[in-house]
Amino acid sequence: AQSVTQLGSHVSVSEGALVLLRCNYSSSVPPYLFWYVQYPNQGLQLLLKYTSAATLVKGINGFEAEFKKSETSFHLTKPSAHMSDAAEYFCAVSEDNAGNMLTFGGGTRLMVKP
Amino acid sequence: DTAVSQTPKYLVTQMGNDKSIKCEQNLGHDTMYWYKQDSKKFLKIMFSYNNKELIINETVPNRFSPKSPDKAHLNLHINSLELGDSAVYFCASSQSVGNTIYFGEGSWLTVV
């Protein structure tokens, strides 16, 4: 069985500040890990994914995430928040080699203050 | 062009009705999915089809029946709608040899 926990359903940062969205996973096999973003009234877009290559993964829009096996974490960061980053962010895990079955966390809403 | 498109985007209907949500992908993928996002924002997989064959069928009431006429389409039919079916339903697709799943924009279903 696999599961994902996102700590903090709401995170608020000031524009230009560091963004840190936390994700911890549970998996019985080496996991594939993903971050998706959902803008208001839109579908999910893939930000980045970890598939057992480099542990530091760079994604779109300046986001990156680091896979830490010892901490079973895959936290999402961005050095400087932009107003357009305000959205809902979902962490997901897949044990399937083809990654065809994702288990999602509950999501974290990021708010960016001017 | 939209890669994964689903219609309708918004649907309000009464309890007991039967409704369908259509999904089409133009990415040439061989695998398609339906996910349900509940009121608490949790996304849960419902079904997955690979080359028109059902490969994942999670615990979903049999009132929900997916149909895949071809690899590019996966439609979701729901019979006897209940209040608890109100949610956002996301269609998605992927190429089975990779693990990037592309999602549609979601269909907001409200049962009254």
Side-chain angles (χ1 to χ4, degrees):
Chain A
Q2 52 188 345
S3 65
V4 175
T5 303
Q6 292 183 238
L7 297 175
S9 58
H10 293 79
V11 170
S12 181
V13 300
S14 298
E15 192 173 19
L18 171 71
V19 175
L20 171 61
L21 304 182
R22 299 179 187 274
C23 172
N24 288 89
Y25 69 90
S26 171
S27 177
S28 57
V29 297
Y32 293 83
L33 294 159
F34 307 79
W35 275 99
Y36 283 85
V37 59
Q38 183 180 26
Y39 296 104
N41 297 324
Q42 294 187 27
L44 294 161
Q45 300 175 30
L46 180 66
L47 270 180
L48 50 83
K49 62 180 179 179
Y50 166 75
T51 56
S52 74
T55 56
L56 181 62
V57 182
K58 294 187 184 298
I60 61 172
N61 301 338
F63 283 92
E64 61 183 37
E66 186 172 8
F67 171 67
K68 292 186 177 181
K69 183 178 179 180
S70 60
E71 299 177 7
T72 60
S73 68
F74 191 57
H75 302 329
L76 181 70
T77 61
K78 182 174 180 177
S80 177
H82 192 273
M83 296 297 291
S84 62
D85 294 328
E88 189 97 21
Y89 291 81
F90 291 90
C91 183
V93 63
S94 173
E95 293 181 355
D96 181 79
N97 282 340
N100 286 333
M101 184 166 170
L102 294 169
T103 298
F104 285 86
T108 298
R109 180 170 296 278
L110 175 65
M111 294 169 284
V112 182
K113 299 175 292 187
Chain B
D1 287 342
T2 303
V4 182
S5 59
Q6 43 185 121
T7 55
K9 186 168 185 176
Y10 299 101
L11 179 59
V12 181
T13 188
Q14 290 187 328
M15 284 173 52
N17 284 349
D18 302 338
K19 291 294 178 185
S20 293
I21 307 173
K22 296 183 178 181
C23 179
E24 176 182 6
Q25 54 94 5
N26 63 7
L27 297 167
H29 290 163
D30 60 3
T31 305
M32 296 186 72
Y33 315 80
W34 277 107
Y35 280 82
K36 179 181 180 180
Q37 185 180 39
D38 61 24
S39 58
K40 295 182 179 178
K41 298 286 187 179
F42 282 97
L43 273 151
K44 296 180 180 178
I45 190 166
M46 300 172 67
F47 303 102
S48 176
Y49 272 71
N50 176 263
N51 287 315
K52 302 195 301 175
E53 297 295 324
L54 180 66
I55 58 172
I56 295 173
N57 184 357
E58 291 297 288
T59 307
V60 176
N62 55 16
R63 298 182 293 105
F64 290 78
S65 53
K67 286 185 172 53
S68 182
D70 54 58
K71 289 196 300 183
H73 296 83
L74 181 61
N75 303 323
L76 182 65
H77 189 75
I78 315 170
N79 290 327
S80 303
L81 278 157
E82 300 177 357
L83 292 177
D85 297 333
S86 296
V88 184
Y89 292 85
F90 285 96
C91 179
S93 74
S94 72
Q95 188 57 32
S96 58
V97 295
N99 55 13
T100 297
I101 298 181
Y102 295 83
F103 285 82
E105 294 188 345
S107 294
W108 273 253
L109 171 65
T110 302
V111 182
V112 297

